[in-house]
Amino acid sequence: MERFLNNYLHTFSCFNLETGDFPGPVVTISRQAGCSAQRIAIKLSKILTGYSYMSETKTDAEWSWVDKSIFSDVVENMIIEINNGSYDDKAEAVRMMKEVARAFSNETIYDISDKKLIDIFKGVICKLATSGRKIIVGRSAGVILRNVPDKLNIRLEAPTEWRINRVMQLKDLSQAEAAKYINEMDQKRDSFIEKIIGRKAENNDFDIIFNYASLEDDQIVDAVINILKDKKIISSQFNL
Protein backbone atom coordinates (compact mmCIF):
# COMPACT_ATOMS: atom_id res chain seq x y z
CA MET A 1 0.00 0.00 0.00
CA GLU A 2 2.87 2.37 0.71
CA ARG A 3 4.10 1.95 -2.86
CA PHE A 4 0.71 2.96 -4.22
CA LEU A 5 0.52 6.00 -1.97
CA ASN A 6 4.09 7.10 -2.59
CA ASN A 7 4.13 6.56 -6.35
CA TYR A 8 0.66 6.75 -7.88
CA LEU A 9 -0.98 9.39 -5.70
CA HIS A 10 2.20 11.48 -5.80
CA THR A 11 1.52 12.07 -9.50
CA PHE A 12 -1.67 13.87 -8.49
CA SER A 13 -0.16 16.34 -6.09
CA CYS A 14 -1.94 19.65 -6.38
CA PHE A 15 0.96 21.49 -7.98
CA ASN A 16 4.40 20.93 -9.44
CA LEU A 17 6.89 23.70 -8.70
CA GLU A 18 9.49 22.22 -11.03
CA THR A 19 7.35 22.20 -14.17
CA GLY A 20 5.01 25.04 -13.24
CA ASP A 21 2.12 22.66 -13.96
CA PHE A 22 -0.89 23.68 -11.89
CA PRO A 23 -4.39 22.22 -11.96
CA GLY A 24 -7.59 24.19 -12.40
CA PRO A 25 -9.47 26.28 -12.88
CA VAL A 26 -11.47 25.17 -9.89
CA VAL A 27 -13.96 26.70 -7.45
CA THR A 28 -14.47 25.30 -3.96
CA ILE A 29 -17.41 26.10 -1.68
CA SER A 30 -17.14 25.55 2.06
CA ARG A 31 -20.18 26.16 4.22
CA GLN A 32 -21.59 26.11 7.69
CA ALA A 33 -24.55 23.79 8.26
CA GLY A 34 -27.75 25.44 7.07
CA CYS A 35 -26.17 27.25 4.12
CA SER A 36 -27.14 25.80 0.72
CA ALA A 37 -23.92 25.48 -1.25
CA GLN A 38 -25.34 22.97 -3.73
CA ARG A 39 -27.81 25.45 -5.23
CA ILE A 40 -25.03 27.98 -5.77
CA ALA A 41 -22.77 25.31 -7.27
CA ILE A 42 -25.43 24.29 -9.80
CA LYS A 43 -26.08 27.89 -10.86
CA LEU A 44 -22.36 28.62 -11.12
CA SER A 45 -21.74 25.55 -13.27
CA LYS A 46 -24.37 26.65 -15.79
CA ILE A 47 -23.17 30.25 -15.99
CA LEU A 48 -19.48 29.36 -16.13
CA THR A 49 -20.17 26.84 -18.88
CA GLY A 50 -21.76 29.68 -20.84
CA TYR A 51 -18.68 31.83 -20.40
CA SER A 52 -16.42 28.98 -21.46
CA TYR A 53 -18.35 28.33 -24.66
CA MET A 54 -17.91 31.99 -25.56
CA SER A 55 -14.17 31.90 -24.92
CA GLU A 56 -11.59 31.81 -27.70
CA THR A 57 -10.86 28.09 -27.35
CA LYS A 58 -14.47 26.80 -27.19
CA THR A 59 -13.15 23.33 -26.31
CA ASP A 60 -13.50 21.22 -23.17
CA ALA A 61 -15.64 24.06 -21.95
CA GLU A 62 -18.19 22.55 -19.63
CA TRP A 63 -17.96 23.35 -15.92
CA SER A 64 -19.46 20.77 -13.59
CA TRP A 65 -20.16 20.71 -9.90
CA VAL A 66 -18.80 17.62 -8.21
CA ASP A 67 -21.58 15.36 -6.97
CA LYS A 68 -21.21 11.71 -5.95
CA SER A 69 -21.52 10.46 -9.54
CA ILE A 70 -18.64 12.64 -10.81
CA PHE A 71 -16.53 11.67 -7.80
CA SER A 72 -17.26 7.98 -8.44
CA ASP A 73 -16.39 8.33 -12.13
CA VAL A 74 -12.99 9.81 -11.26
CA VAL A 75 -12.36 7.01 -8.76
CA GLU A 76 -13.29 4.37 -11.35
CA ASN A 77 -10.85 5.89 -13.86
CA MET A 78 -8.13 5.91 -11.22
CA ILE A 79 -8.87 2.25 -10.44
CA ILE A 80 -8.42 1.39 -14.12
CA GLU A 81 -5.05 3.16 -14.10
CA ILE A 82 -4.05 1.30 -10.94
CA ASN A 83 -5.01 -2.07 -12.46
CA ASN A 84 -2.99 -1.23 -15.57
CA GLY A 85 0.02 -0.26 -13.49
CA SER A 86 2.78 -2.34 -11.95
CA TYR A 87 1.75 -2.06 -8.31
CA ASP A 88 2.06 -5.14 -6.15
CA ASP A 89 -0.61 -3.84 -3.78
CA LYS A 90 -3.35 -3.34 -6.38
CA ALA A 91 -6.09 -5.22 -4.55
CA GLU A 92 -5.66 -3.24 -1.33
CA ALA A 93 -5.37 0.06 -3.21
CA VAL A 94 -8.58 -0.62 -5.16
CA ARG A 95 -10.41 -1.65 -1.99
CA MET A 96 -9.48 1.58 -0.25
CA MET A 97 -10.33 3.68 -3.32
CA LYS A 98 -13.81 2.16 -3.33
CA GLU A 99 -14.14 2.74 0.41
CA VAL A 100 -13.38 6.44 -0.07
CA ALA A 101 -15.92 6.64 -2.93
CA ARG A 102 -18.62 5.07 -0.75
CA ALA A 103 -17.84 7.44 2.11
CA PHE A 104 -18.10 10.43 -0.26
CA SER A 105 -21.45 9.21 -1.58
CA ASN A 106 -23.16 8.56 1.74
CA GLU A 107 -21.82 11.65 3.53
CA THR A 108 -19.60 9.68 5.94
CA ILE A 109 -16.39 11.05 4.45
CA TYR A 110 -16.01 13.33 7.49
CA ASP A 111 -15.86 10.26 9.76
CA ILE A 112 -12.73 8.87 8.08
CA SER A 113 -9.71 8.92 10.36
CA ASP A 114 -7.32 6.44 8.72
CA LYS A 115 -4.37 8.40 7.32
CA LYS A 116 -4.11 6.22 4.22
CA LEU A 117 -7.78 6.79 3.39
CA ILE A 118 -7.34 10.52 3.93
CA ASP A 119 -4.31 10.54 1.61
CA ILE A 120 -6.33 8.70 -1.03
CA PHE A 121 -9.18 11.17 -0.65
CA LYS A 122 -6.77 14.11 -1.07
CA GLY A 123 -5.41 12.41 -4.19
CA VAL A 124 -8.91 12.15 -5.70
CA ILE A 125 -9.61 15.83 -4.95
CA CYS A 126 -6.34 16.79 -6.65
CA LYS A 127 -7.23 14.57 -9.61
CA LEU A 128 -10.56 16.41 -9.91
CA ALA A 129 -8.77 19.76 -9.78
CA THR A 130 -6.27 18.59 -12.38
CA SER A 131 -9.08 17.97 -14.86
CA GLY A 132 -10.13 21.62 -14.40
CA ARG A 133 -13.46 23.47 -14.56
CA LYS A 134 -14.80 21.87 -11.42
CA ILE A 135 -16.90 23.25 -8.57
CA ILE A 136 -16.32 21.20 -5.43
CA VAL A 137 -18.73 21.58 -2.51
CA GLY A 138 -17.44 20.85 0.98
CA ARG A 139 -15.23 17.85 1.77
CA SER A 140 -12.44 20.22 2.82
CA ALA A 141 -11.54 20.75 -0.85
CA GLY A 142 -10.71 24.39 -0.20
CA VAL A 143 -7.91 23.64 2.25
CA ILE A 144 -6.65 20.71 0.15
CA LEU A 145 -6.33 23.00 -2.87
CA ARG A 146 -5.37 26.15 -0.98
CA ASN A 147 -1.97 26.43 -2.73
CA VAL A 148 -3.41 26.10 -6.24
CA PRO A 149 -3.21 29.52 -7.97
CA ASP A 150 -6.01 29.04 -10.49
CA LYS A 151 -8.80 28.58 -7.97
CA LEU A 152 -11.33 30.47 -5.88
CA ASN A 153 -12.13 29.26 -2.37
CA ILE A 154 -15.56 30.41 -1.19
CA ARG A 155 -16.99 30.18 2.32
CA LEU A 156 -20.70 30.52 3.22
CA GLU A 157 -21.52 31.51 6.77
CA ALA A 158 -24.57 32.80 8.65
CA PRO A 159 -25.57 33.63 12.24
CA THR A 160 -26.35 30.57 14.36
CA GLU A 161 -29.94 31.58 15.09
CA TRP A 162 -30.66 32.10 11.40
CA ARG A 163 -29.21 28.69 10.55
CA ILE A 164 -31.24 26.99 13.28
CA ASN A 165 -34.46 28.51 11.96
CA ARG A 166 -33.61 27.52 8.40
CA VAL A 167 -32.80 23.92 9.32
CA MET A 168 -36.04 23.76 11.33
CA GLN A 169 -37.95 24.64 8.14
CA LEU A 170 -35.93 22.51 5.72
CA LYS A 171 -35.82 19.35 7.82
CA ASP A 172 -39.02 19.79 9.87
CA LEU A 173 -37.10 19.66 13.14
CA SER A 174 -37.69 21.22 16.53
CA GLN A 175 -35.49 24.10 17.61
CA ALA A 176 -33.45 21.82 19.86
CA GLU A 177 -33.06 19.20 17.12
CA ALA A 178 -31.98 21.82 14.57
CA ALA A 179 -29.46 23.32 16.99
CA LYS A 180 -28.03 19.86 17.66
CA TYR A 181 -27.85 19.15 13.92
CA ILE A 182 -25.89 22.27 12.97
CA ASN A 183 -23.57 21.89 15.95
CA GLU A 184 -22.76 18.27 15.05
CA MET A 185 -22.29 19.01 11.34
CA ASP A 186 -20.06 22.01 11.98
CA GLN A 187 -17.95 19.97 14.41
CA LYS A 188 -17.62 17.09 11.91
CA ARG A 189 -16.47 19.41 9.14
CA ASP A 190 -14.07 21.32 11.40
CA SER A 191 -12.63 18.06 12.69
CA PHE A 192 -12.08 16.74 9.17
CA ILE A 193 -10.21 19.89 8.18
CA GLU A 194 -7.92 19.35 11.18
CA LYS A 195 -7.25 15.81 9.94
CA ILE A 196 -6.37 17.21 6.51
CA ILE A 197 -4.07 20.11 7.46
CA GLY A 198 -3.38 19.58 11.16
CA ARG A 199 -5.14 22.71 12.35
CA LYS A 200 -8.50 24.47 12.33
CA ALA A 201 -9.53 26.40 9.23
CA GLU A 202 -8.87 30.13 9.33
CA ASN A 203 -10.38 33.02 7.41
CA ASN A 204 -7.29 33.36 5.25
CA ASP A 205 -7.82 29.82 3.95
CA PHE A 206 -10.68 31.28 1.89
CA ASP A 207 -10.62 33.93 -0.81
CA ILE A 208 -14.04 35.29 0.08
CA ILE A 209 -16.61 34.74 2.85
CA PHE A 210 -20.29 35.47 2.22
CA ASN A 211 -23.00 36.08 4.82
CA TYR A 212 -25.59 33.68 3.47
CA ALA A 213 -28.30 35.15 5.69
CA SER A 214 -28.15 38.57 4.05
CA LEU A 215 -27.60 37.67 0.39
CA GLU A 216 -29.68 35.93 -2.26
CA ASP A 217 -28.15 33.06 -4.22
CA ASP A 218 -28.05 35.14 -7.41
CA GLN A 219 -26.22 37.95 -5.63
CA ILE A 220 -23.56 35.52 -4.44
CA VAL A 221 -23.26 33.97 -7.90
CA ASP A 222 -22.91 37.40 -9.55
CA ALA A 223 -20.21 38.39 -7.08
CA VAL A 224 -18.33 35.14 -7.67
CA ILE A 225 -18.46 35.61 -11.44
CA ASN A 226 -17.04 39.11 -11.12
CA ILE A 227 -14.23 37.92 -8.84
CA LEU A 228 -13.37 35.11 -11.27
CA LYS A 229 -13.16 37.71 -14.04
CA ASP A 230 -10.96 40.02 -11.96
CA LYS A 231 -8.65 37.11 -11.11
CA LYS A 232 -8.58 36.19 -14.82
CA ILE A 233 -9.81 32.67 -14.06
CA ILE A 234 -12.50 33.23 -16.67
CA SER A 235 -12.61 35.60 -19.62
CA SER A 236 -13.72 39.14 -18.82
CA GLN A 237 -14.69 40.16 -22.35
CA PHE A 238 -18.17 38.65 -22.35
CA ASN A 239 -21.29 39.52 -20.41
CA LEU A 240 -24.30 37.23 -20.09
Side-chain angles (χ1 to χ4, degrees), residues 15-22:
F15 56 92
N16 188 325
L17 294 177
E18 293 181 1
T19 65
D21 183 25
F22 294 96

Side-chain angles (χ1 to χ4, degrees), residues 188-237:
K188 274 188 175 184
R189 291 166 180 167
D190 291 345
S191 175
F192 192 63
I193 287 175
E194 287 194 66
K195 295 174 190 176
I196 295 289
I197 60 174
R199 60 170 174 78
K200 294 183 182 294
E202 301 172 351
N203 285 350
N204 60 11
D205 288 314
F206 307 101
D207 297 303
I208 183 166
I209 300 174
F210 292 102
N211 181 352
Y212 194 77
S214 64
L215 294 167
E216 299 292 334
D217 286 357
D218 287 345
Q219 293 173 317
I220 294 174
V221 169
D222 287 345
V224 169
I225 294 296
N226 285 327
I227 293 169
L228 290 171
K229 285 182 180 181
D230 290 342
K231 289 174 69 70
K232 302 188 187 307
I233 295 176
I234 61 173
S235 172
S236 60
Q237 69 181 108

Side-chain angles (χ1 to χ4, degrees), residues 4 8 75-95 97-98:
F4 163 72
Y8 180 75
V75 169
E76 286 302 318
N77 288 334
M78 292 173 77
I79 287 174
I80 291 172
E81 293 175 12
I82 292 167
N83 284 326
N84 290 336
S86 58
Y87 304 101
D88 54 12
D89 50 0
K90 289 181 184 179
E92 179 66 3
V94 169
R95 183 190 69 78
M97 292 285 289
K98 290 181 177 179

